[in-house]
Amino acid sequence: MAFHRRAVAWLDDHAPEIALATTGVTFFLLLLGLYTAAVGAGATCNETYPGCAGQLSPFGLTLPQFIEWFHRFVAMAVGFVIFGNALVLQHRFPGTNASRAGWTALVLLPLQVVLGGTTVTFAGLVEGGYTPSVQSLHFIAAFAIFSALVAATAWAYQRDGRISSNAPRTALAVGAGAFLAHLLLVRDLLLTYTATVQTLYHFAALLGFAALLAALCWNTGELSTRARTAAGAAVGFYLGETALTVGLVLVTTPVEVAAYAAAALALAAAGIAARTATSGGRARSTAE
């Protein structure tokens, strides 16, 4: 019992770090999934799931098959981490935005698993599972889980009184910088849209989104109304761009132009948010 109490106390003391680590591994999983889709590895396991090519071990698989197998293995591990994170946040911050966001991520997890299985057709039982529309829904569910975890992490740190007065402004600056990198990596603008460039494109965008969302979650009173409005607009423009680039619509030249415009507007709004942020005073220790 003494060990149990010490373990629970340690988990409570490190709840924000656990939430951050959970968000970090989910971020990695998102990028791994995007890379897997970009190289076409998801369709290499002969329509079998959860194993690959009729086996659970990675031995004897081709490189594309191993990429898909590794993606599935990481997804399984991250699922358990998200479950544990929800329990820790519930125990440390019951009835708060932090715990509710943690549970939201967990509730969405089964949907993500089903969509992931459908994407690779559940051993051929779902006809046409590996289609752009199903892949898009798979990404959207993953993005929603990631968003919930970002919010849970931001609120957990604030509930623990560990957000400095400069944190929101720093987050907005990170968001603007990430969206600049994202804009430069947009499809076929400066670089050929290889699988690596595509993954970096999403890395920059997701980092920028997470930074802006965290800034919006922190109720510190350190951001001007104009900065918060601009940050919200940047998030909205990014979501619009994402809807145009993840397979929900056929990517044509007009769609590419619209996506580029949305990325540029997201950068402009993030830049305005960073420039108009205010600092000073002390951060409040609660998120509600």
Side-chain angles (χ1 to χ4, degrees):
M1 292 299 294
F3 172 79
H4 177 265
R5 287 193 296 270
R6 288 196 298 270
V8 171
W10 186 92
L11 291 172
D12 278 349
D13 290 343
H14 294 85
E17 288 89 352
I18 292 170
L20 179 60
T22 303
T23 304
V25 295
T26 303
F27 185 26
F28 172 74
L29 175 60
L30 252 174
L31 294 174
L32 179 60
L34 289 164
Y35 180 80
T36 300
V39 298
T44 62
C45 285
N46 302 335
E47 298 185 343
T48 59
Y49 184 88
C52 184
Q55 63 184 62
L56 293 176
S57 76
F59 300 106
L61 298 178
T62 66
L63 179 59
Q65 287 175 334
F66 176 78
I67 292 173
E68 171 62 14
W69 178 91
F70 184 66
H71 172 231
R72 297 180 189 186
F73 176 79
V74 173
M76 178 186 66
V78 171
F80 286 112
V81 173
I82 291 174
F83 175 71
N85 178 65
L87 295 180
V88 170
L89 290 177
Q90 175 62 30
H91 190 271
R92 178 66 179 85
F93 307 113
T96 66
N97 285 342
S99 63
R100 285 189 285 268
W103 281 113
T104 298
L106 181 60
V107 168
L108 290 171
L109 188 60
L111 173 63
Q112 172 69 352
V113 172
V114 171
L115 288 170
T118 302
T119 299
V120 292
T121 71
F122 273 130
L125 296 179
V126 182
E127 184 178 354
Y130 197 76
T131 60
S133 59
V134 176
Q135 291 182 64
S136 299
L137 291 175
H138 185 43
F139 172 79
I140 290 169
F143 182 81
I145 292 171
F146 175 68
S147 301
L149 291 173
V150 170
T153 301
W155 283 322
Y157 270 93
Q158 187 163 1
R159 288 291 303 187
D160 223 32
R162 293 160 62 180
I163 298 300
S164 70
S165 60
N166 289 326
R169 184 169 185 170
T170 300
L172 292 182
V174 170
F179 274 146
L180 174 59
H182 169 67
L183 179 63
L184 296 177
L185 292 168
V186 77
R187 180 187 294 267
D188 296 331
L189 176 64
L190 298 177
L191 301 171
T192 302
Y193 205 54
T194 63
T196 300
V197 171
Q198 184 176 342
T199 305
L200 290 173
Y201 162 83
H202 287 293
F203 170 85
L206 289 169
L207 177 62
F209 167 78
L212 294 179
L213 181 59
L216 290 171
C217 288
W218 288 327
N219 182 27
T220 65
E222 300 301 326
L223 295 181
S224 67
T225 301
R226 185 180 181 186
R228 296 184 70 86
T229 301
V235 169
F237 286 128
Y238 166 63
L239 294 178
E241 179 202 359
T242 301
L244 294 172
T245 58
V246 295
L248 292 176
V249 297
L250 181 65
V251 179
T252 61
T253 298
V255 170
E256 286 188 350
V257 172
Y260 178 76
L265 289 170
L267 171 60
I272 292 172
R275 288 195 302 271
T276 59
T278 59
S279 61
R282 293 178 59 85
R284 292 196 291 272
S285 62
T286 61
E288 288 84 9

